Amino acid sequence: MSTTTISTTTSQRKKVTTLAFRQKKERGEPITMLTAYDYPTAMAIDKAGIDAILVGDSLAMVVLGYENTLPVTMDEMLHHARAVSRGAKAPLLVGDMPFMSYQVSVEDALRNAGRFLQQGGMDAVKLEGGRERADAVRAITGAGIPVMGHLGLTPQSVHQMGGFRAQGKTASAAKRLLEDAQILEEAGAFSLVLEAVPARLAEYISKQISIPAVGIGAGAGCDGQVLVTHDLLGLFDRFTPKFVRKYANLHETMNKAFIQYLNDVNTKQFPAVEHTLEMTDDEWNDFLRTA
Ligand code: KIV
């Protein structure tokens, strides 16, 4: 793990745009992206100097406790998007379109993408799928809303994939992934996520397209990396995907703090004098006279 440098870059940092994404790819500089679902986390990510924040539908699992990402709704996503947009100013903010917010019709897709910008304070949206989403991507980008694609392991298709499994491992699946990436680029996507794809294939796809490919479980050859913040912080204790590096163990830290608090209250060590508001003797006597 690299050494820690505390960064305080919030106020000086220029807003990261989709153009900056493209320029980073051209310069060969890795794009950094993390998920956030609330105000304090968004602030800390901004302060660290991360390029982009995804208000991911992983919210459903790591914050709301669902088994998969399918139950989370547009209204829930917007609620969290607004909190993130209040906390992070410089990063490019991407709202993740939840299940059934873009699959039924292109009109629905466009309307809901618009809501992320109008009501959620986001700069762009992300949606899952390749060729079957090309019309939606065209319509959304045609309305001036930047779209990030998402290929490989697409969690909203968990039942169709037969679980959360790596994708693109056969020659025909790999070819289809490459074609989907090219179709998304042609449809106007400014970037795409490649999730749980063999590293060689992810690197190959990244080189074949001119838009940046941001990897998660897709090796170091992508144009950038994204992780679910709760995995990176060790906050989500149910499971940790193999491709995650845990930079902290906040679940354990929280648990220890809660136990300490419990003990301190039970043994009357909290609150102590310094946490306690007192009345002067005069104030107290005044009170006693009226009581
Ligand atoms: O919802 C999410 O957090 C995501 C990332 C895994 C890319 O889609």
Side-chain angles (χ1 to χ4, degrees):
M1 199 185 296
S2 59
T3 53
T4 39
T5 317
I6 306 297
S7 175
T8 50
T9 49
T10 323
S11 50
Q12 283 81 24
R13 248 195 339 143
K14 257 177 65 184
K15 176 75 185 170
V16 179
T17 60
T18 56
L19 178 66
F21 256 53
R22 178 73 78 112
Q23 289 167 339
K24 277 200 129 181
K25 173 169 178 132
E26 284 163 6
R27 291 197 297 264
E29 289 172 19
I31 293 162
T32 52
M33 185 167 185
L34 285 173
T35 64
Y37 321 96
D38 61 49
Y39 173 81
T41 312
M43 270 177 77
I45 291 175
D46 185 354
K47 203 167 172 183
I50 300 288
D51 293 315
I53 293 181
L54 173 68
V55 183
D57 65 351
S58 48
L59 165 75
M61 297 173 75
V62 300
V63 174
L64 303 179
Y66 291 115
E67 281 300 308
N68 55 46
T69 59
L70 305 186
V72 77
T73 64
M74 262 312 289
D75 285 342
E76 288 168 329
M77 290 299 299
L78 288 173
H79 176 77
H80 288 267
R82 282 192 287 274
V84 168
S85 75
R86 288 190 287 268
K89 299 302 167 204
L92 181 79
L93 302 180
V94 184
D96 205 3
M97 299 194 67
F99 184 54
M100 284 297 119
S101 69
Y102 58 96
Q103 290 92 339
V104 177
S105 69
V106 168
E107 289 74 21
D108 260 12
L110 180 53
R111 194 173 306 108
N112 285 320
R115 289 184 73 195
F116 266 110
L117 272 71
Q118 266 189 331
Q119 299 168 26
M122 298 288 100
D123 306 313
V125 297
K126 175 171 88 56
L127 51 80
E128 297 181 6
R131 64 199 69 200
E132 66 284 9
R133 299 292 157 238
D135 289 343
V137 172
R138 253 183 233 109
I140 299 169
T141 55
I145 302 171
V147 178
M148 185 172 216
H150 185 156
L151 296 173
L153 195 171
T154 45
Q156 291 175 17
S157 307
V158 59
H159 298 307
Q160 195 174 45
M161 291 182 304
F164 295 108
R165 331 160 68 90
Q167 300 294 308
K169 289 174 82 175
T170 64
S172 61
K175 183 165 178 281
R176 195 176 162 86
L177 264 184
L178 171 62
E179 287 169 1
D180 278 339
Q182 289 165 331
I183 289 168
L184 288 176
E185 173 174 13
E186 183 275 327
F190 76 93
S191 174
L192 53 87
V193 167
L194 287 177
E195 179 166 357
V197 170
R200 255 191 206 180
L201 175 63
E203 182 168 3
Y204 185 81
I205 293 174
S206 306
K207 292 206 168 110
Q208 293 296 313
I209 55 178
S210 58
I211 58 173
V214 180
I216 172 162
C222 296
D223 303 302
Q225 298 294 325
V226 56
L227 278 180
V228 170
T229 293
H230 284 51
D231 290 336
L232 170 155
L233 293 178
L235 249 180
F236 182 62
D237 208 36
R238 223 157 69 201
F239 63 89
T240 308
K242 183 174 163 280
F243 52 74
V244 169
R245 178 178 286 170
K246 262 195 188 183
Y247 288 83
N249 196 345
L250 292 197
H251 181 82
E252 198 180 300
T253 306
M254 271 168 50
N255 194 248
K256 280 191 181 144
F258 298 150
I259 291 171
Q260 184 77 54
Y261 168 73
L262 176 81
N263 289 338
D264 285 355
V265 172
N266 281 341
T267 58
K268 298 192 182 292
Q269 290 182 70
F270 178 83
V273 176
E274 64 270 26
H275 310 119
T276 307
L277 189 67
E278 258 311 347
M279 283 168 115
T280 63
D281 286 346
D282 285 348
E283 286 164 345
W284 182 242
N285 288 332
D286 279 351
F287 163 69
L288 286 183
R289 268 194 295 277
T290 60

